[in-house]
Amino acid sequence: GIARECSSSSAGARRPAGIVVGLRATSRAVKRGEIRVVVAASELQPPLLLAQLAVHAHAAGAHLAVLPSTAAALGQPLGLLRAAVLGLQSRVFDEAHALVRLVLAVPPPQPCWLQCCASRLRERAREAERMPPAVLSEPGGAAE
């Protein structure tokens, strides 16, 4: 299958070719622009880590797919005990690759809490624009 196609042998150990494994390694590779697709298990804790990964992936133009699975279920098809996050490197996985097409079909997660925070910040900025400058500098004003 696709998972077997992605793995290769090196020094007797099965290592995924073109796949970055783990949150930290994937985050670094995303920031460097090396990742086309990020796949994460929904059990990733705390949720803020997933939110941070989503922000980095969006900024780098990488697609993020969160699968309703455990880290063990995500890693085992690749010969790994577990993997909460996987990154597919652009140099190995082009747009036409079957795995990339499959992951791109998964809609990206909708961080509603993040949208709510952004909306509230925009509201506060509009309120601050309408206030006279004296109100902003007075004790008890909007600046505190």
Side-chain angles (χ1 to χ4, degrees):
I2 294 172
R4 291 196 197 289
E5 175 188 330
C6 298
S7 60
S8 67
S9 297
S10 65
R14 286 181 47 154
R15 291 198 39 105
I19 298 178
V20 179
V21 179
L23 177 64
R24 185 175 296 187
T26 301
S27 293
R28 282 190 298 239
V30 165
K31 290 176 189 175
R32 289 191 303 262
E34 299 172 359
I35 302 296
R36 180 175 312 282
V37 172
V38 177
V39 181
S42 59
E43 75 166 12
L44 186 61
Q45 291 294 326
L48 189 57
L49 292 177
L50 186 57
Q52 181 182 18
L53 186 60
V55 169
H56 291 306
H58 179 74
H63 182 80
L64 172 66
V66 179
L67 303 180
S69 69
T70 64
L74 188 60
Q76 286 173 354
L78 300 172
L80 303 168
L81 183 59
R82 65 178 184 262
V85 178
L86 300 172
L88 307 182
Q89 293 179 327
S90 301
R91 65 180 173 76
V92 176
F93 294 91
D94 62 3
E95 292 285 334
H97 194 281
L99 185 56
V100 172
R101 287 195 324 256
L102 184 66
V103 173
L104 290 176
V106 175
Q110 296 299 318
C112 61
W113 60 269
L114 188 57
Q115 292 171 350
C116 291
C117 289
S119 174
R120 182 66 183 129
L121 286 173
R122 284 191 295 271
E123 287 174 21
R124 292 179 97 183
R126 283 192 293 269
E127 289 171 6
E129 288 173 359
R130 288 189 295 251
M131 289 185 185
V135 173
L136 293 175
S137 61
E138 292 176 5
E144 289 188 358

mmCIF file of all heavy atoms in Angstrom, residues 60-102:
data_model
loop_
_atom_site.group_PDB
_atom_site.id
_atom_site.type_symbol
_atom_site.label_atom_id
_atom_site.label_comp_id
_atom_site.label_asym_id
_atom_site.label_seq_id
_atom_site.Cartn_x
_atom_site.Cartn_y
_atom_site.Cartn_z
ATOM 1 N N ALA A 60 3.303 28.540 6.268
ATOM 2 C CA ALA A 60 4.244 27.946 5.322
ATOM 3 C C ALA A 60 3.560 27.422 4.063
ATOM 4 O O ALA A 60 4.230 26.949 3.151
ATOM 5 C CB ALA A 60 5.005 26.810 5.998
ATOM 6 N N GLY A 61 2.231 27.472 4.038
ATOM 7 C CA GLY A 61 1.506 26.970 2.877
ATOM 8 C C GLY A 61 1.383 25.455 2.851
ATOM 9 O O GLY A 61 1.114 24.867 1.808
ATOM 10 N N ALA A 62 1.571 24.817 4.000
ATOM 11 C CA ALA A 62 1.423 23.366 4.102
ATOM 12 C C ALA A 62 -0.003 23.038 4.515
ATOM 13 O O ALA A 62 -0.634 23.793 5.254
ATOM 14 C CB ALA A 62 2.411 22.800 5.123
ATOM 15 N N HIS A 63 -0.506 21.920 4.049
ATOM 16 C CA HIS A 63 -1.860 21.493 4.400
ATOM 17 C C HIS A 63 -1.789 20.679 5.686
ATOM 18 O O HIS A 63 -0.915 19.824 5.838
ATOM 19 C CB HIS A 63 -2.452 20.646 3.276
ATOM 20 C CG HIS A 63 -3.857 20.213 3.526
ATOM 21 N ND1 HIS A 63 -4.925 21.061 3.311
ATOM 22 C CD2 HIS A 63 -4.372 19.061 3.980
ATOM 23 C CE1 HIS A 63 -6.042 20.413 3.613
ATOM 24 N NE2 HIS A 63 -5.723 19.202 4.023
ATOM 25 N N LEU A 64 -2.700 20.935 6.614
ATOM 26 C CA LEU A 64 -2.777 20.186 7.871
ATOM 27 C C LEU A 64 -4.030 19.340 7.861
ATOM 28 O O LEU A 64 -5.129 19.850 7.615
ATOM 29 C CB LEU A 64 -2.804 21.137 9.073
ATOM 30 C CG LEU A 64 -3.077 20.488 10.432
ATOM 31 C CD1 LEU A 64 -1.940 19.546 10.831
ATOM 32 C CD2 LEU A 64 -3.276 21.551 11.493
ATOM 33 N N ALA A 65 -3.868 18.058 8.123
ATOM 34 C CA ALA A 65 -5.000 17.146 8.257
ATOM 35 C C ALA A 65 -4.930 16.525 9.646
ATOM 36 O O ALA A 65 -3.900 15.976 10.031
ATOM 37 C CB ALA A 65 -4.952 16.062 7.199
ATOM 38 N N VAL A 66 -6.009 16.661 10.393
ATOM 39 C CA VAL A 66 -6.087 16.053 11.719
ATOM 40 C C VAL A 66 -6.999 14.841 11.602
ATOM 41 O O VAL A 66 -8.176 14.977 11.263
ATOM 42 C CB VAL A 66 -6.636 17.048 12.767
ATOM 43 C CG1 VAL A 66 -6.727 16.375 14.128
ATOM 44 C CG2 VAL A 66 -5.759 18.279 12.832
ATOM 45 N N LEU A 67 -6.431 13.683 11.845
ATOM 46 C CA LEU A 67 -7.184 12.447 11.705
ATOM 47 C C LEU A 67 -7.706 11.990 13.058
ATOM 48 O O LEU A 67 -6.989 12.086 14.053
ATOM 49 C CB LEU A 67 -6.299 11.359 11.105
ATOM 50 C CG LEU A 67 -5.677 11.691 9.756
ATOM 51 C CD1 LEU A 67 -4.831 10.519 9.270
ATOM 52 C CD2 LEU A 67 -6.745 12.024 8.737
ATOM 53 N N PRO A 68 -8.921 11.498 13.105
ATOM 54 C CA PRO A 68 -9.477 11.005 14.377
ATOM 55 C C PRO A 68 -8.837 9.670 14.732
ATOM 56 O O PRO A 68 -9.410 8.607 14.532
ATOM 57 C CB PRO A 68 -10.971 10.872 14.088
ATOM 58 C CG PRO A 68 -11.033 10.622 12.610
ATOM 59 C CD PRO A 68 -9.873 11.369 12.012
ATOM 60 N N SER A 69 -7.606 9.728 15.223
ATOM 61 C CA SER A 69 -6.865 8.516 15.541
ATOM 62 C C SER A 69 -5.928 8.760 16.705
ATOM 63 O O SER A 69 -5.733 9.880 17.131
ATOM 64 C CB SER A 69 -6.069 8.049 14.322
ATOM 65 O OG SER A 69 -5.023 8.950 14.064
ATOM 66 N N THR A 70 -5.333 7.680 17.146
ATOM 67 C CA THR A 70 -4.313 7.760 18.195
ATOM 68 C C THR A 70 -2.945 7.860 17.536
ATOM 69 O O THR A 70 -2.786 7.598 16.343
ATOM 70 C CB THR A 70 -4.353 6.512 19.083
ATOM 71 O OG1 THR A 70 -4.022 5.379 18.274
ATOM 72 C CG2 THR A 70 -5.725 6.327 19.726
ATOM 73 N N ALA A 71 -1.949 8.204 18.324
ATOM 74 C CA ALA A 71 -0.582 8.267 17.817
ATOM 75 C C ALA A 71 -0.122 6.878 17.373
ATOM 76 O O ALA A 71 0.608 6.748 16.394
ATOM 77 C CB ALA A 71 0.350 8.839 18.878
ATOM 78 N N ALA A 72 -0.563 5.846 18.068
ATOM 79 C CA ALA A 72 -0.188 4.480 17.696
ATOM 80 C C ALA A 72 -0.784 4.123 16.335
ATOM 81 O O ALA A 72 -0.097 3.565 15.475
ATOM 82 C CB ALA A 72 -0.658 3.502 18.763
ATOM 83 N N ALA A 73 -2.044 4.453 16.121
ATOM 84 C CA ALA A 73 -2.692 4.125 14.850
ATOM 85 C C ALA A 73 -2.074 4.898 13.689
ATOM 86 O O ALA A 73 -2.009 4.392 12.565
ATOM 87 C CB ALA A 73 -4.187 4.428 14.934
ATOM 88 N N LEU A 74 -1.582 6.091 13.940
ATOM 89 C CA LEU A 74 -0.955 6.894 12.892
ATOM 90 C C LEU A 74 0.439 6.384 12.551
ATOM 91 O O LEU A 74 0.839 6.376 11.388
ATOM 92 C CB LEU A 74 -0.893 8.361 13.326
ATOM 93 C CG LEU A 74 -0.446 9.376 12.292
ATOM 94 C CD1 LEU A 74 -1.370 9.369 11.083
ATOM 95 C CD2 LEU A 74 -0.419 10.772 12.904
ATOM 96 N N GLY A 75 1.177 5.917 13.546
ATOM 97 C CA GLY A 75 2.548 5.494 13.318
ATOM 98 C C GLY A 75 2.723 4.061 12.857
ATOM 99 O O GLY A 75 3.648 3.753 12.104
ATOM 100 N N GLN A 76 1.848 3.164 13.263
ATOM 101 C CA GLN A 76 2.042 1.745 12.981
ATOM 102 C C GLN A 76 2.080 1.377 11.496
ATOM 103 O O GLN A 76 2.892 0.542 11.105
ATOM 104 C CB GLN A 76 1.001 0.923 13.728
ATOM 105 C CG GLN A 76 1.321 0.857 15.207
ATOM 106 C CD GLN A 76 0.240 0.192 16.025
ATOM 107 O OE1 GLN A 76 -0.828 -0.139 15.519
ATOM 108 N NE2 GLN A 76 0.519 0.002 17.310
ATOM 109 N N PRO A 77 1.283 1.971 10.618
ATOM 110 C CA PRO A 77 1.407 1.614 9.197
ATOM 111 C C PRO A 77 2.779 1.943 8.608
ATOM 112 O O PRO A 77 3.156 1.407 7.579
ATOM 113 C CB PRO A 77 0.326 2.454 8.509
ATOM 114 C CG PRO A 77 -0.653 2.763 9.579
ATOM 115 C CD PRO A 77 0.147 2.864 10.847
ATOM 116 N N LEU A 78 3.522 2.809 9.279
ATOM 117 C CA LEU A 78 4.859 3.178 8.821
ATOM 118 C C LEU A 78 5.950 2.430 9.572
ATOM 119 O O LEU A 78 7.125 2.748 9.459
ATOM 120 C CB LEU A 78 5.064 4.686 8.987
ATOM 121 C CG LEU A 78 4.087 5.552 8.202
ATOM 122 C CD1 LEU A 78 4.237 7.009 8.571
ATOM 123 C CD2 LEU A 78 4.281 5.349 6.717
ATOM 124 N N GLY A 79 5.566 1.442 10.372
ATOM 125 C CA GLY A 79 6.534 0.670 11.125
ATOM 126 C C GLY A 79 7.006 1.358 12.389
ATOM 127 O O GLY A 79 8.034 1.001 12.949
ATOM 128 N N LEU A 80 6.264 2.362 12.855
ATOM 129 C CA LEU A 80 6.622 3.106 14.062
ATOM 130 C C LEU A 80 5.698 2.698 15.198
ATOM 131 O O LEU A 80 4.526 2.403 14.977
ATOM 132 C CB LEU A 80 6.506 4.608 13.811
ATOM 133 C CG LEU A 80 7.336 5.146 12.650
ATOM 134 C CD1 LEU A 80 6.921 6.569 12.326
ATOM 135 C CD2 LEU A 80 8.813 5.086 12.995
ATOM 136 N N LEU A 81 6.223 2.717 16.416
ATOM 137 C CA LEU A 81 5.395 2.395 17.570
ATOM 138 C C LEU A 81 4.266 3.407 17.702
ATOM 139 O O LEU A 81 3.113 3.057 17.918
ATOM 140 C CB LEU A 81 6.242 2.371 18.840
ATOM 141 C CG LEU A 81 5.527 1.983 20.125
ATOM 142 C CD1 LEU A 81 4.932 0.586 20.001
ATOM 143 C CD2 LEU A 81 6.490 2.053 21.294
ATOM 144 N N ARG A 82 4.617 4.678 17.542
ATOM 145 C CA ARG A 82 3.607 5.745 17.566
ATOM 146 C C ARG A 82 4.186 6.993 16.911
ATOM 147 O O ARG A 82 5.406 7.172 16.838
ATOM 148 C CB ARG A 82 3.150 6.048 18.984
ATOM 149 C CG ARG A 82 4.209 6.610 19.880
ATOM 150 C CD ARG A 82 3.636 6.924 21.265
ATOM 151 N NE ARG A 82 4.661 7.546 22.061
ATOM 152 C CZ ARG A 82 5.410 6.919 22.945
ATOM 153 N NH1 ARG A 82 5.231 5.642 23.158
ATOM 154 N NH2 ARG A 82 6.325 7.563 23.613
ATOM 155 N N ALA A 83 3.309 7.838 16.442
ATOM 156 C CA ALA A 83 3.700 9.107 15.837
ATOM 157 C C ALA A 83 2.480 10.023 15.883
ATOM 158 O O ALA A 83 1.526 9.820 15.145
ATOM 159 C CB ALA A 83 4.163 8.912 14.401
ATOM 160 N N ALA A 84 2.502 11.011 16.767
ATOM 161 C CA ALA A 84 1.369 11.930 16.894
ATOM 162 C C ALA A 84 1.307 12.898 15.724
ATOM 163 O O ALA A 84 0.238 13.380 15.372
ATOM 164 C CB ALA A 84 1.449 12.697 18.210
ATOM 165 N N VAL A 85 2.474 13.176 15.107
ATOM 166 C CA VAL A 85 2.540 14.116 13.984
ATOM 167 C C VAL A 85 3.510 13.578 12.947
ATOM 168 O O VAL A 85 4.593 13.106 13.286
ATOM 169 C CB VAL A 85 3.003 15.518 14.454
ATOM 170 C CG1 VAL A 85 3.118 16.469 13.276
ATOM 171 C CG2 VAL A 85 2.071 16.082 15.498
ATOM 172 N N LEU A 86 3.096 13.667 11.680
ATOM 173 C CA LEU A 86 3.952 13.293 10.560
ATOM 174 C C LEU A 86 3.983 14.444 9.569
ATOM 175 O O LEU A 86 2.957 15.081 9.321
ATOM 176 C CB LEU A 86 3.401 12.059 9.834
ATOM 177 C CG LEU A 86 3.252 10.775 10.642
ATOM 178 C CD1 LEU A 86 2.519 9.736 9.808
ATOM 179 C CD2 LEU A 86 4.613 10.263 11.063
ATOM 180 N N GLY A 87 5.135 14.697 8.986
ATOM 181 C CA GLY A 87 5.257 15.700 7.942
ATOM 182 C C GLY A 87 5.745 15.051 6.663
ATOM 183 O O GLY A 87 6.699 14.286 6.683
ATOM 184 N N LEU A 88 5.064 15.314 5.556
ATOM 185 C CA LEU A 88 5.467 14.764 4.262
ATOM 186 C C LEU A 88 6.308 15.806 3.543
ATOM 187 O O LEU A 88 5.821 16.891 3.218
ATOM 188 C CB LEU A 88 4.245 14.394 3.427
ATOM 189 C CG LEU A 88 3.215 13.471 4.099
ATOM 190 C CD1 LEU A 88 2.089 13.152 3.131
ATOM 191 C CD2 LEU A 88 3.876 12.208 4.605
ATOM 192 N N GLN A 89 7.562 15.481 3.284
ATOM 193 C CA GLN A 89 8.489 16.436 2.683
ATOM 194 C C GLN A 89 8.165 16.667 1.210
ATOM 195 O O GLN A 89 7.906 15.729 0.457
ATOM 196 C CB GLN A 89 9.924 15.947 2.823
ATOM 197 C CG GLN A 89 10.395 15.922 4.257
ATOM 198 C CD GLN A 89 11.816 15.417 4.375
ATOM 199 O OE1 GLN A 89 12.256 14.579 3.605
ATOM 200 N NE2 GLN A 89 12.526 15.941 5.373
ATOM 201 N N SER A 90 8.227 17.928 0.814
ATOM 202 C CA SER A 90 7.911 18.327 -0.554
ATOM 203 C C SER A 90 8.843 17.687 -1.571
ATOM 204 O O SER A 90 8.422 17.374 -2.684
ATOM 205 C CB SER A 90 7.992 19.849 -0.689
ATOM 206 O OG SER A 90 7.106 20.462 0.196
ATOM 207 N N ARG A 91 10.090 17.475 -1.200
ATOM 208 C CA ARG A 91 11.058 16.926 -2.163
ATOM 209 C C ARG A 91 10.745 15.479 -2.535
ATOM 210 O O ARG A 91 11.166 15.006 -3.593
ATOM 211 C CB ARG A 91 12.485 17.040 -1.632
ATOM 212 C CG ARG A 91 12.765 16.230 -0.405
ATOM 213 C CD ARG A 91 14.223 16.387 0.065
ATOM 214 N NE ARG A 91 14.446 15.733 1.319
ATOM 215 C CZ ARG A 91 14.577 14.421 1.475
ATOM 216 N NH1 ARG A 91 14.502 13.621 0.441
ATOM 217 N NH2 ARG A 91 14.777 13.897 2.680
ATOM 218 N N VAL A 92 10.016 14.766 -1.682
ATOM 219 C CA VAL A 92 9.663 13.368 -1.943
ATOM 220 C C VAL A 92 8.206 13.229 -2.390
ATOM 221 O O VAL A 92 7.896 12.430 -3.260
ATOM 222 C CB VAL A 92 9.914 12.504 -0.690
ATOM 223 C CG1 VAL A 92 9.468 11.071 -0.905
ATOM 224 C CG2 VAL A 92 11.380 12.557 -0.291
ATOM 225 N N PHE A 93 7.335 14.022 -1.778
ATOM 226 C CA PHE A 93 5.902 13.919 -2.036
ATOM 227 C C PHE A 93 5.429 15.111 -2.863
ATOM 228 O O PHE A 93 5.227 16.199 -2.327
ATOM 229 C CB PHE A 93 5.120 13.872 -0.712
ATOM 230 C CG PHE A 93 5.406 12.634 0.089
ATOM 231 C CD1 PHE A 93 6.412 12.622 1.031
ATOM 232 C CD2 PHE A 93 4.666 11.482 -0.107
ATOM 233 C CE1 PHE A 93 6.684 11.484 1.768
ATOM 234 C CE2 PHE A 93 4.923 10.343 0.621
ATOM 235 C CZ PHE A 93 5.931 10.341 1.560
ATOM 236 N N ASP A 94 5.266 14.895 -4.166
ATOM 237 C CA ASP A 94 4.749 15.975 -5.002
ATOM 238 C C ASP A 94 3.223 15.973 -4.962
ATOM 239 O O ASP A 94 2.611 15.095 -4.361
ATOM 240 C CB ASP A 94 5.284 15.868 -6.436
ATOM 241 C CG ASP A 94 4.854 14.585 -7.137
ATOM 242 O OD1 ASP A 94 4.091 13.789 -6.554
ATOM 243 O OD2 ASP A 94 5.277 14.386 -8.282
ATOM 244 N N GLU A 95 2.627 16.957 -5.604
ATOM 245 C CA GLU A 95 1.161 17.110 -5.586
ATOM 246 C C GLU A 95 0.435 15.896 -6.159
ATOM 247 O O GLU A 95 -0.690 15.620 -5.808
ATOM 248 C CB GLU A 95 0.751 18.361 -6.374
ATOM 249 C CG GLU A 95 1.173 19.659 -5.741
ATOM 250 C CD GLU A 95 0.337 20.036 -4.533
ATOM 251 O OE1 GLU A 95 -0.828 19.618 -4.443
ATOM 252 O OE2 GLU A 95 0.868 20.757 -3.673
ATOM 253 N N ALA A 96 1.095 15.162 -7.064
ATOM 254 C CA ALA A 96 0.444 14.034 -7.724
ATOM 255 C C ALA A 96 0.532 12.739 -6.909
ATOM 256 O O ALA A 96 -0.121 11.757 -7.250
ATOM 257 C CB ALA A 96 1.070 13.816 -9.095
ATOM 258 N N HIS A 97 1.324 12.733 -5.844
ATOM 259 C CA HIS A 97 1.479 11.516 -5.038
ATOM 260 C C HIS A 97 0.126 11.123 -4.440
ATOM 261 O O HIS A 97 -0.638 11.968 -3.974
ATOM 262 C CB HIS A 97 2.507 11.753 -3.928
ATOM 263 C CG HIS A 97 2.958 10.496 -3.272
ATOM 264 N ND1 HIS A 97 2.214 9.848 -2.319
ATOM 265 C CD2 HIS A 97 4.085 9.756 -3.444
ATOM 266 C CE1 HIS A 97 2.846 8.772 -1.926
ATOM 267 N NE2 HIS A 97 3.993 8.693 -2.587
ATOM 268 N N ALA A 98 -0.165 9.825 -4.456
ATOM 269 C CA ALA A 98 -1.465 9.333 -3.981
ATOM 270 C C ALA A 98 -1.732 9.711 -2.529
ATOM 271 O O ALA A 98 -2.853 10.078 -2.169
ATOM 272 C CB ALA A 98 -1.534 7.820 -4.156
ATOM 273 N N LEU A 99 -0.708 9.651 -1.679
ATOM 274 C CA LEU A 99 -0.894 9.990 -0.266
ATOM 275 C C LEU A 99 -1.194 11.479 -0.093
ATOM 276 O O LEU A 99 -2.053 11.864 0.689
ATOM 277 C CB LEU A 99 0.338 9.586 0.548
ATOM 278 C CG LEU A 99 0.253 9.775 2.064
ATOM 279 C CD1 LEU A 99 -0.954 9.030 2.631
ATOM 280 C CD2 LEU A 99 1.527 9.295 2.723
ATOM 281 N N VAL A 100 -0.508 12.318 -0.853
ATOM 282 C CA VAL A 100 -0.757 13.765 -0.786
ATOM 283 C C VAL A 100 -2.177 14.070 -1.253
ATOM 284 O O VAL A 100 -2.906 14.830 -0.611
ATOM 285 C CB VAL A 100 0.279 14.549 -1.619
ATOM 286 C CG1 VAL A 100 -0.097 16.024 -1.712
ATOM 287 C CG2 VAL A 100 1.668 14.387 -1.008
ATOM 288 N N ARG A 101 -2.594 13.458 -2.359
ATOM 289 C CA ARG A 101 -3.959 13.683 -2.856
ATOM 290 C C ARG A 101 -4.994 13.239 -1.827
ATOM 291 O O ARG A 101 -6.015 13.892 -1.626
ATOM 292 C CB ARG A 101 -4.172 12.961 -4.182
ATOM 293 C CG ARG A 101 -3.451 13.620 -5.344
ATOM 294 C CD ARG A 101 -3.959 13.125 -6.685
ATOM 295 N NE ARG A 101 -4.331 11.726 -6.711
ATOM 296 C CZ ARG A 101 -3.613 10.745 -7.256
ATOM 297 N NH1 ARG A 101 -2.473 11.026 -7.847
ATOM 298 N NH2 ARG A 101 -4.036 9.504 -7.228
ATOM 299 N N LEU A 102 -4.722 12.123 -1.165
ATOM 300 C CA LEU A 102 -5.631 11.610 -0.148
ATOM 301 C C LEU A 102 -5.752 12.582 1.029
ATOM 302 O O LEU A 102 -6.841 12.897 1.490
ATOM 303 C CB LEU A 102 -5.143 10.244 0.340
ATOM 304 C CG LEU A 102 -6.013 9.500 1.337
ATOM 305 C CD1 LEU A 102 -7.327 9.102 0.687
ATOM 306 C CD2 LEU A 102 -5.283 8.273 1.837
#
